[in-house]
Amino acid sequence: MMKEQLLKRIEAREIICGVVGLGLPLAVEKAKAGFRTIGFDVQDKKVDMVNQGYNYIGDVVDNELKELVEQGMLRGTSDFSLIGQADFIAICVPTPLDKHQEPDISYVRSSVEAISHYLKPNTMVVLESTTYPGTTEDLVKPILESNSGLKCGVDFYLGFSPERVDPGNLIYKTKNTPKVVGGIGRDATEVIAAMYRAVLEGDVCEVSSPAIAEMEKILENTYRNVNIGLINELGRLCHEMGISVWEVIDAAKTKPYGFQAFYPGPGLGGHCIPLDPYYLTWKAREYGFHTTLIENSMVINDGQPLYCVDRAMHILNRSKKAINGSKVLVLGVAYKQDIDDYRESPALKVIEEAGGVEVLQGGDAEQIEMAEGDFTLVLMDQGEGGAGDPGGAAQPPGKAGGEGGLPHPHPPPVGDEVAGAQQGRQLLGHGLGLLRAAGVEDHGKSPPGDSFWSHGPRNYGARSPGTWLDSAQREAVRPM
């Protein structure tokens, strides 16, 4: 009976949605699809911004949000007693690591506790926060049942559907990204999937349990973590051997099957890829299992910021400069292109590891002349609108040669999308750009190892080699 009633109400757009935490893009899509939506957050500032029609996250358009608020389709609140009005509740809260690099699920626990006291019959509850397999059934379900007096599968449906967000991506947004749903019981899966299908354009993949969906999300991000670790290690080896890792990757990706290109970087950033594998390795120990490959990749990636500083030190030494006491101009702190989010950014670790230097930080190069520094550290190069294609121009001022590489097959865009440090445009980033000492030697063809490049589509980096960003010179080159 509950299943049929909910399916009819979904079709009639009679469901009231509640979104707890960071799920503003999801809340907006639900409201746009015709479902009245309430956003819950403990931070009054965010609640006030939403109710005034201002977003606090880049993937939401202000005028769309304002229109939904004015129409009464979306509102924010910090009053969790209003949970009782919601028929569908999505939990989208952070799942960070604690100081011991172990899962911190306190946000999930406190949110579920708050929901449980106001949960009413015939409600769908979905956890979207990335977590270890078993969280939905072993943590969320007992709290909801104990505090509400309701029974899962009889009085309410519970499931897991991992959030999939790629900040700055202009192609794939919440609405058109495929979704995975795993409920406790077949009916729960079917009803929750129907709710997402009523809102999203992307496919909805139904799996047999929440644990499958939880593990699937961990696999997505661990896959990237491990492959980035592989290419970071290969990049170090290629440097020692005097081989261009970029040419190696370009040659390898000519194979039309069985290979996907990843690119070296300064480490991992953001709220997913650097953290999620730790959830799996922590859970694996419960079963006496050690995820050796995953743990090794994390060791490699965690060591990249120090490797960047070490490379910088050697470059400065060739100019008879010590890194201790040098002035270092740091451009770009966000963890990827076209966003203002620096959570877990490797830039912060690079700056920390380069202790003893005077750091001149600037996203706006107009504020600081590059000549003021002994060393220029570009941690974020310019973006191309977030599509993930290689590109961007980066050449030494007044030089046409750069690092002696070949023209890039995808010329960079012309205009304000390309950041020019000399013109003072905002420096955006797809990830790591380069490490090079200012004025070490001639800016023409240089021996291997003078510059450290880290970039790559969808792996925190765009193919934009060069010493400085110069919008007057548009031809991008690869380093030797």
Side-chain angles (χ1 to χ4, degrees):
M1 181 67 72
M2 180 170 60
K3 172 184 172 182
E4 287 73 21
Q5 288 179 352
L6 285 173
L7 289 174
K8 288 180 181 179
R9 294 186 64 201
I10 291 171
E11 186 176 359
R13 297 298 193 271
E14 295 175 354
I15 297 292
I16 297 177
C17 298
V19 178
V20 179
L22 302 173
L24 184 58
L26 177 64
V28 167
E29 291 303 331
K30 289 188 178 298
K32 286 168 62 177
F35 295 96
R36 284 203 299 127
T37 303
I38 306 171
F40 296 87
D41 204 294
V42 296
Q43 300 183 46
D44 290 331
K45 182 179 180 181
K46 288 184 177 180
V47 170
D48 292 340
M49 288 181 68
V50 169
N51 289 333
Q52 293 172 30
Y54 298 111
N55 83 80
Y56 54 82
I57 189 168
D59 285 350
V60 173
V61 180
D62 275 345
N63 59 2
E64 288 186 351
L65 177 59
K66 191 174 185 65
E67 184 177 350
L68 292 170
V69 171
E70 291 175 348
Q71 293 173 351
M73 295 301 296
L74 175 62
R75 64 188 174 111
T77 183
S78 57
D79 182 1
F80 275 74
S81 68
L82 298 179
I83 284 286
Q85 297 181 11
D87 307 295
F88 176 93
I89 303 168
I91 304 169
C92 311
V93 296
T95 48
L97 300 174
D98 64 18
K99 64 180 181 180
H100 303 294
Q101 298 292 289
E102 293 185 348
D104 177 3
I105 55 173
S106 59
Y107 295 100
V108 173
R109 187 187 301 274
S110 60
S111 297
V112 175
E113 289 276 0
I115 291 167
S116 66
H117 296 294
Y118 304 102
L119 186 66
K120 69 177 190 299
N122 296 340
T123 300
M124 297 167 278
V125 181
V126 182
L127 178 62
E128 289 210 354
S129 305
T130 304
T131 183
Y132 57 84
T135 303
T136 304
E137 293 166 283
D138 299 338
L139 174 72
V140 177
K141 178 175 174 282
I143 295 175
L144 292 179
E145 289 186 329
S146 175
N147 293 343
S148 70
L150 302 177
K151 186 172 179 58
C152 180
V154 177
D155 302 307
F156 68 94
Y157 288 135
L158 176 61
F160 182 83
S161 181
E163 181 185 44
R164 284 175 168 171
V165 177
D166 187 12
N169 192 326
L170 298 183
I171 298 176
Y172 288 105
K173 300 289 189 180
T174 299
K175 189 175 183 63
N176 65 344
T177 299
K179 207 84 165 78
V180 174
V181 173
I184 299 179
R186 178 61 201 156
D187 288 350
T189 301
E190 184 177 340
V191 173
I192 293 170
M195 184 66 209
Y196 282 112
R197 288 191 179 101
V199 173
L200 306 177
E201 293 177 350
D203 293 337
V204 177
C205 173
E206 300 178 21
V207 296
S208 59
S209 70
I212 296 291
E214 289 162 341
M215 181 64 91
E216 175 276 323
K217 175 60 174 179
I218 294 289
L219 172 61
E220 291 178 24
N221 289 337
T222 302
Y223 166 82
R224 293 175 68 184
N225 187 303
V226 169
N227 280 281
I228 293 168
L230 168 64
I231 204 64
N232 278 336
E233 187 168 57
L234 188 65
R236 295 189 194 186
L237 175 60
C238 284
H239 170 68
E240 296 298 325
M241 298 176 69
I243 296 172
S244 169
V245 68
W246 313 110
E247 188 173 356
V248 171
I249 296 170
D250 283 344
K253 71 181 185 181
T254 61
K255 183 180 179 182
Y257 52 86
F259 180 81
Q260 180 176 354
F262 286 81
Y263 298 87
L268 299 175
H271 60 287
C272 288
I273 296 178
L275 309 180
D276 296 351
Y278 284 98
Y279 274 68
L280 184 59
T281 59
W282 175 84
K283 187 66 175 178
R285 290 197 293 270
E286 181 181 323
Y287 297 87
F289 191 92
H290 293 280
T291 52
T292 307
L293 174 63
I294 298 171
E295 291 171 27
N296 284 341
S297 75
M298 293 189 291
V299 169
I300 294 167
N301 293 327
D302 289 346
Q304 285 298 102
L306 182 59
Y307 177 67
C308 291
V309 174
D310 183 69
R311 289 286 298 276
M313 179 184 69
H314 282 85
I315 294 170
L316 279 167
N317 283 346
R318 287 200 293 271
S319 192
K320 294 182 170 55
K321 288 181 179 290
I323 193 168
N324 193 336
S326 293
K327 282 187 176 181
V328 177
L329 175 62
V330 178
L331 298 176
V333 176
Y335 72 84
K336 64 170 292 188
Q337 171 187 0
D338 293 340
I339 64 172
D340 58 2
D341 190 345
Y342 56 86
R343 281 178 292 177
E344 305 296 329
S345 172
L348 304 178
K349 298 175 185 176
V350 170
I351 292 171
E352 181 182 356
E353 294 288 356
V357 304
E358 181 180 350
V359 178
L360 309 173
Q361 296 186 62
D364 189 345
E366 192 174 55
Q367 299 173 2
I368 305 173
E369 291 294 333
M370 300 189 83
E372 291 182 7
D374 299 309
F375 186 86
T376 302
L377 175 58
V378 182
L379 296 177
M380 293 291 164
D381 55 13
Q382 69 275 10
E384 278 194 89
D389 292 328
Q395 294 289 331
K399 299 285 183 179
E403 293 297 312
L406 300 172
H408 198 281
H410 301 285
V414 176
D416 288 344
E417 296 86 0
V418 176
Q422 299 303 304
Q423 283 67 34
R425 293 194 179 99
Q426 178 70 28
L427 187 70
L428 300 174
H430 207 81
L432 228 278
L434 64 109
L435 289 172
R436 181 176 174 93
V440 168
E441 52 190 80
D442 181 72
H443 291 302
K445 185 174 181 179
S446 302
D450 267 1
S451 54
F452 175 57
W453 309 99
S454 302
H455 42 65
R458 299 276 68 81
N459 176 20
Y460 310 113
R463 302 285 296 287
S464 306
T467 302
W468 286 291
L469 301 178
D470 180 13
S471 62
Q473 173 61 44
R474 298 299 186 187
E475 185 182 69
V477 297
R478 298 189 185 96
M480 292 296 286

